[in-house]
Amino acid sequence: MNKPAARISALSLSLMLLAGCATTSLTSTPDSPAQSQALALIEQGKPRDAALQLEGLAATLRGGARSNALADAAWAWHLAGDSARARSLLGQLTARQLSGASLQRYQLTGAELALADKQPAQALALLKDHADSVAVGLRTRWLLARAQALQGTGDAFGAANERARAHAGLTGSARSENQAAIAGLLGTLDDATLRSRAAALPANDPLYNFAGRALIARGLPLPRPFDRDGAAQFDTSKRPPAMSDGYRPPAKLAVLLPLSGRLATAAQPVRDGLLSAYYGESRRRPDINFFDTAGTPAGALAAYDKAVASGADFVVGPLGRDEVDAVYGRQQLQVPVLALNRGKDAPPAGSAGFSLAPEDDGIVAAEYLRGRERNRALVINSNDDTGRRSAAAFAQRFAQRGGQVVATVGVSDAVGDIGAQVRNAGQVDAVFLAVRAPQARLLAPQLALAGAGGATRVGTSQLTVGSGKVEEDVALDGIVYPNEAWNVRSVSGLPSASQVASTLPSARGAAGRLFAFGADAWKITAYLDKLSNEGGLDGATGTLFLDSNGNILRQPAWSTFNGGRPMPIVGGR
């Protein structure tokens, strides 16, 4: 049950927590000012100095006070990486000699050393107390140690639950690593188990939001909408009451797009899609104003300020990643936003983020293949940012779900001969193609000649970029890829994709994806309450969900090429 993505040693857990735990005091119940002063050295990154001081202090004490000081010294030596000295001191103590936080440090030190010795049952026995009764400064570490112990006993779901409870106490890389570990643990569960265990979680259980994201990535329904605390709620008090279908648009809408500058080409189909959906609505619509960000962080901030000054009560945009980071950096936003890209941080409280990130294609492709019990995958990606990001996300999720990426091949636009690399990869039952149509057309015959023609081939949404000539696209037959729902089914408020493309150049070809993205930006804006409180919303890019962090998640439709033409897959999966 131990998956590489979720495994962590006791020593690396110690180092990770020293670097990544939110700052809290480790001296919840100090026995004396001297003991408190010594323990404070741990927070200053000086655990060895703390250990020496605590041992010196213990020599001046007797009875329970001496035992508490020695237990704290063992803890400090453990954090300093001297497990031999920590074990020696622990051997001089018994739990009944200890009290307060010193007892808990004793238990946690012993548990982490037991985990290093691959004795998870012993660790669980030491960590039997509920984390809520543990000193605040030890609680996150306590939960992570319990998670590792539960994983060691084969309880992946229990381990994920403990990690989810610890998540709020982590920062930086430790938080990212914990999120990946939770995904890895949930990835060991089959669909039925994940669905039933997620449904059984009580309201506001911290694991539910992680489990919900895993279900959406697998194309499975949510048992209930994501839990949302007060900070994550949206203020729609200035909007008129919702209509029967949940339609409740803002009173005055501002849209921040790079109408000039390097991102202007991408902004045009987004703008046209948003306006098409906006004008496709016959009921009350808000006043709408567009503000040019010029594609720069400074331009995005200036445009946001202009939008606020104009009286807007909701803002859509900006579009560029750097622009989004600049706006998110304000933290306390006077008017909430629906950002149109993924920032390095989660959206500020009361705002949301929507993106067509390459990572999403990689994740759903990995879930698609593992859902069909494909175990050994060859990854081929274009040597650009989009291809590399898709491939990296695929590899991580495929491994978390128990699969193996046997080889990764990067290709240029010209592709070249990769036959030897495919043969050297050995037997594969899956191929992930993070490439555009012209590259895929050159790769398909090479895969067949190299013995990988029978493998299930899954591409990204980039597969349609450069397609359109039926006689050439026959080479793409059989490749499955995530598609915009708008291309395979009707979407309320929008004409069919083919009808719009016949009149609007910005809705044709690769731009059609951005057109659908813009249409969904309007729909999210108008149905924000419904999306927040009721769950899925059918959109042009797929079925949309709003998670607990304010991120819009998508379940795409699935298509394949047949006779050189894109065709929807019946059932969508």
Side-chain angles (χ1 to χ4, degrees):
M1 296 294 290
N2 289 347
K3 298 292 178 184
R7 189 184 300 128
I8 184 167
S9 71
L11 177 57
S12 62
L13 181 142
S14 300
L15 295 173
M16 181 181 84
L17 282 162
L18 279 172
C21 279
T23 301
T24 51
S25 173
L26 291 174
T27 58
S28 301
T29 55
D31 288 347
S32 70
Q35 190 175 352
S36 176
Q37 183 179 20
L39 287 166
L41 292 172
I42 295 175
E43 297 181 53
Q44 299 169 25
K46 302 175 182 178
R48 180 179 176 83
D49 293 346
L52 291 170
Q53 285 196 23
L54 287 162
E55 282 207 62
L57 177 63
T60 69
L61 301 172
R62 294 184 179 279
R66 176 180 179 275
S67 296
N68 284 341
L70 285 177
D72 292 344
W75 169 250
W77 282 121
H78 173 55
L79 295 180
D82 192 339
S83 60
R85 186 59 183 158
R87 291 176 191 273
S88 175
L89 293 181
L90 290 181
Q92 302 175 37
L93 302 168
T94 58
R96 65 174 178 272
Q97 299 171 316
L98 306 169
S99 61
S102 295
L103 171 61
Q104 293 166 355
R105 292 187 194 98
Y106 165 85
Q107 293 168 319
L108 186 52
T109 305
E112 290 187 357
L113 291 172
L115 290 170
D117 295 337
K118 302 187 185 305
Q119 296 179 335
Q122 180 180 335
L124 281 177
L126 287 164
L127 302 172
K128 61 183 183 298
D129 293 341
H130 195 281
D132 289 348
S133 67
V134 174
V136 173
L138 302 174
R139 193 171 297 162
T140 297
R141 197 180 188 103
W142 188 281
L143 289 164
L144 289 177
R146 275 190 54 83
Q148 188 180 348
L150 287 166
Q151 182 183 353
T153 61
D155 185 357
F157 193 82
N161 209 333
E162 297 296 306
R163 283 190 173 275
R165 295 177 63 201
H167 200 64
L170 297 171
T171 60
S173 61
R175 186 176 176 89
S176 300
E177 290 168 15
N178 191 57
Q179 184 166 330
I182 295 171
L185 290 162
L186 296 177
T188 66
L189 306 177
D190 60 43
D191 289 357
T193 301
L194 178 61
R195 290 181 66 174
S196 63
R197 297 296 296 270
L201 290 170
N204 298 313
D205 189 294
L207 183 58
Y208 182 76
N209 292 310
F210 292 96
R213 285 190 283 271
L215 288 167
I216 288 171
R218 297 190 194 189
L220 300 172
L222 285 178
R224 64 175 188 271
F226 284 99
D227 297 323
R228 308 190 64 77
D229 58 26
Q233 294 293 339
F234 298 100
D235 181 8
T236 55
S237 59
K238 296 180 181 178
R239 303 185 180 191
M243 297 188 176
S244 59
D245 66 343
Y247 179 73
R248 192 183 186 189
K252 190 170 185 179
L253 178 65
V255 183
L256 315 185
L257 287 175
L259 303 176
S260 63
R262 61 185 179 85
L263 296 177
T265 301
Q268 182 179 346
V270 175
R271 179 199 62 194
D272 291 352
L274 189 150
L275 286 174
S276 292
Y278 172 84
Y279 286 114
E281 176 57 65
S282 59
R283 294 171 290 184
R284 180 191 65 81
R285 297 191 300 263
D287 293 336
I288 185 170
N289 289 302
F290 287 80
F291 297 88
D292 184 10
T293 67
T296 67
L301 290 173
Y304 178 80
D305 290 339
K306 290 177 183 177
V308 173
S310 75
D313 61 317
F314 196 75
V315 173
V316 171
L319 182 64
R321 297 177 77 183
D322 292 343
E323 295 178 305
V324 171
D325 286 336
V327 173
Y328 281 3
R330 289 276 181 89
Q331 290 303 316
Q332 296 297 324
L333 294 177
Q334 187 174 347
V335 175
V337 305
L338 171 66
L340 298 180
N341 210 323
R342 185 171 296 168
K344 64 177 184 292
D345 297 317
S351 291
F354 182 38
S355 70
L356 297 178
E359 289 84 358
D360 295 341
D361 280 357
I363 289 170
V364 297
E367 295 288 358
Y368 184 95
L369 289 168
R370 286 301 294 142
R372 286 150 185 78
E373 299 184 351
R374 303 302 188 264
N375 301 310
R376 290 171 55 84
L378 169 67
V379 174
I380 304 175
N381 63 270
S382 56
N383 285 325
D384 57 19
D385 184 61
T386 298
R388 287 190 294 266
R389 287 167 60 189
S390 297
F394 173 89
Q396 182 183 50
R397 180 55 62 92
F398 199 66
Q400 288 171 345
R401 293 280 278 119
Q404 179 186 2
V405 173
V406 297
T408 300
V409 180
V411 297
S412 65
D413 288 344
V415 175
D417 184 359
I418 66 164
Q421 292 165 282
V422 176
R423 288 188 291 271
N424 290 339
Q427 290 293 318
V428 297
D429 54 13
V431 178
F432 176 58
L433 294 159
V435 298
R436 298 179 295 278
Q439 295 167 306
R441 287 194 292 260
L442 296 172
L443 289 165
Q446 292 195 51
L447 291 170
L449 289 171
T456 302
R457 295 168 299 162
V458 177
T460 69
S461 55
Q462 292 289 299
L463 190 67
T464 60
V465 177
S467 66
K469 295 182 178 180
V470 173
E471 63 277 10
E472 295 179 0
D473 289 343
V474 169
L476 307 178
D477 281 4
I479 303 177
V480 176
Y481 63 96
N483 200 354
E484 284 64 64
W486 186 44
N487 290 319
V488 301
R489 59 170 169 78
S490 62
V491 174
S492 63
L494 277 179
S496 68
S498 59
Q499 182 180 348
V500 176
S502 67
T503 57
L504 275 179
S506 60
R508 298 172 191 162
R513 189 166 190 247
L514 292 173
F515 187 96
F517 179 61
D520 278 353
W522 158 252
K523 194 159 193 175
I524 293 165
T525 300
Y527 288 90
L528 195 57
D529 277 355
K530 178 182 177 71
L531 193 58
S532 176
N533 299 316
E534 297 182 24
L537 179 70
D538 288 337
T541 60
T543 304
L544 308 174
F545 300 85
L546 182 66
D547 76 5
S548 60
N549 297 321
N551 296 305
I552 304 295
L553 308 178
R554 289 187 308 123
Q555 282 181 344
W558 288 95
S559 295
T560 187
F561 278 86
N562 187 350
R565 292 181 172 85
M567 299 291 290
I569 295 176
V570 176
R573 295 188 67 207

